[in-house]
Amino acid sequence: MRRFVITGDLHFKGVNPKARLDNYMEAIIAKLYEVSKIAKNTGADAIVIPGDLFDSPNMSWGTVTELSWILKSAPCLILVIPGNHDLYGGNPTSKTRTPYNLLATLQLVWDLTEDHYLVTNHNGGVIVTGHSFTVDTDTEAGRDQFFPSSVTDLETREFTSIHVVHSMLMDHSPGFDMRHTFISQVKTTANVIISGHEHAGFGIIRRPDGVLFINPGALCRLSAHVSEIERQVQVAVLTVDDGGQCSAELVPLQSALPGEMVLSREHIEQAAARNEKLDEFLSLLASEGESKFMEVRDIVEDIAARENIPEAVKREALERLGRARERVAKTEVAG
């Protein structure tokens, strides 16, 4: 029997996201130590992190060192692939210049895009492969990323195939324009697909054809979106029995505090209130009539010229003035 502990994205970094009330790095570190504890208690062969170990390829040496010490203390191997945040511009050829590659070179993590991971038994065993994020991920051109790379040096025995990707895999439409791939549309020869990238996660889904899809959701919480505040931070434990049958369960992390304790929407609400007040002010200006409106435009142009205001800022101000005038005009017509 083989076991794997599966996390979502880490986005390890030393700077607090705007939404966080606590110390973000300390919170991620606590979660990683709990993941290691789960791996030890379950006798896991490996921990699987499906991309975005770092929040950016531009990390300070202190931050890289901090994560290195944590990974070094893990009780088992850590299998990884590069996510879009681990690379420059989502380009896999940039990997050699990144902190991600340093961790792999120091053998603190096992890069599945360079070599598969294999455990055997008398019947066969388990093979774990992975595919890096690329600019083609979640497009028609990238559909082959779900097929495990061929391994030609294996004996002719039965192997359970686990394939790791960094894809925006979903079981339903996101409701807005965003690159994604529906689980129902994935073509693969793997028995299990593990994915990161989508922070909300979909948990564990077994398709009618038997393929198991796993994304427990990101280990990190970066934004104060309502779904993030309410989301349970968790990992998945995948079990492959000696007959090759796969099953998985979700394990909530005790070290992850409730979202309302660590995430704040204050900056979002302040920005919304500020925009509302600005729109109200511009509407009042526009309501003074066309002549006054033209005077305001002249004032904006004059201030922009004198203070060397960027063209984009001036244009946004004028566009808002235009929208305010249009609203007032519609109100007058309706009245």
Side-chain angles (χ1 to χ4, degrees):
M1 183 176 294
R2 301 295 180 177
R3 285 197 174 93
F4 301 87
V5 175
I6 301 162
T7 79
D9 300 10
L10 302 188
H11 285 266
F12 196 86
K13 63 178 178 177
V15 180
N16 252 35
K18 185 180 292 186
R20 297 291 298 213
L21 296 170
D22 60 342
N23 185 300
Y24 176 81
M25 179 184 279
E26 288 180 359
I28 282 289
I29 289 173
K31 293 172 190 173
L32 285 171
Y33 279 127
E34 185 175 355
V35 170
S36 288
K37 183 178 180 181
I38 293 171
K40 183 177 181 180
N41 291 344
T42 58
D45 292 88
I47 296 168
V48 181
I49 305 175
D52 285 354
L53 275 70
F54 291 101
D55 190 58
S56 164
N58 296 312
M59 285 287 112
S60 70
W61 288 116
T63 301
V64 176
T65 301
E66 194 72 46
L67 183 55
S68 298
W69 281 115
I70 298 167
L71 298 176
K72 187 176 181 179
S73 68
C76 58
L77 289 173
I78 300 176
L79 311 180
V80 299
I81 60 168
N84 55 309
H85 282 262
D86 295 314
L87 305 166
Y88 289 99
N91 181 5
T93 63
S94 70
K95 184 175 70 175
T96 57
R97 308 192 303 275
T98 66
Y100 171 97
N101 192 65
L102 176 64
L103 298 183
T105 301
L106 295 175
Q107 298 183 348
L108 296 173
V109 295
W110 184 306
D111 186 355
L112 292 170
T113 66
E114 297 293 334
D115 191 15
H116 62 268
Y117 171 72
L118 179 69
V119 287
T120 61
N121 57 35
H122 63 281
N123 294 322
V126 178
I127 182 168
V128 187
T129 54
H131 197 290
S132 171
F133 177 90
T134 73
V135 294
D136 292 329
T137 296
D138 295 311
T139 70
E140 193 60 39
R143 293 293 187 250
D144 61 349
Q145 296 183 19
F146 296 103
F147 285 94
S149 53
S150 60
V151 180
T152 58
D153 59 342
L154 297 180
E155 300 176 30
T156 55
R157 291 186 290 173
E158 291 296 323
F159 284 87
T160 300
S161 172
I162 301 171
H163 190 55
V164 186
V165 296
H166 194 75
S167 164
M168 192 66 70
L169 272 179
M170 295 183 144
D171 62 340
H172 62 276
S173 172
F176 53 91
D177 188 22
M178 178 184 71
R179 277 190 181 185
H180 63 280
T181 301
F182 288 120
I183 289 173
S184 60
Q185 296 174 333
V186 172
K187 295 180 180 179
T188 183
T189 56
N191 303 102
V192 180
I193 294 286
I194 296 171
S195 180
H197 202 28
E198 211 287 278
H199 285 203
F202 51 76
I204 301 164
I205 294 177
R206 189 183 295 277
R207 277 197 325 201
D209 62 358
V211 180
L212 197 62
F213 290 80
I214 302 174
N215 179 352
L219 211 62
C220 64
R221 286 186 290 202
L222 298 174
S223 75
H225 191 280
V226 174
S227 62
E228 279 293 85
I229 293 176
E230 297 176 348
R231 179 172 67 89
Q232 172 67 61
V233 180
Q234 57 194 357
V235 297
V237 177
L238 170 66
T239 301
V240 183
D241 67 23
D242 292 339
Q245 295 300 308
C246 303
S247 60
E249 64 175 329
L250 296 172
V251 180
L253 293 189
Q254 301 304 312
S255 58
L257 296 176
E260 60 269 18
M261 293 180 62
V262 298
L263 294 169
S264 169
R265 291 182 57 83
E266 183 178 354
H267 65 289
I268 298 175
E269 293 163 357
Q270 287 178 347
R274 186 166 56 250
N275 285 333
E276 183 179 347
K277 289 294 184 183
L278 178 58
D279 285 342
E280 180 183 348
F281 173 65
L282 293 175
S283 294
L284 289 173
L285 290 174
S287 67
E288 291 297 315
E290 182 67 21
S291 61
K292 293 291 185 182
F293 176 77
M294 292 305 296
E295 290 176 12
V296 172
R297 285 184 63 96
D298 292 339
I299 291 172
V300 172
E301 293 281 2
D302 181 61
I303 293 175
R306 284 189 286 108
E307 300 297 329
N308 197 27
I309 301 297
E311 180 66 25
V313 174
K314 183 187 76 173
R315 186 167 57 251
E316 173 67 17
L318 292 175
E319 287 176 356
R320 290 195 182 197
L321 280 170
R323 291 195 295 270
R325 181 181 61 171
E326 185 178 356
R327 284 196 299 272
V328 171
K330 288 180 178 177
T331 301
E332 290 175 349
V333 171

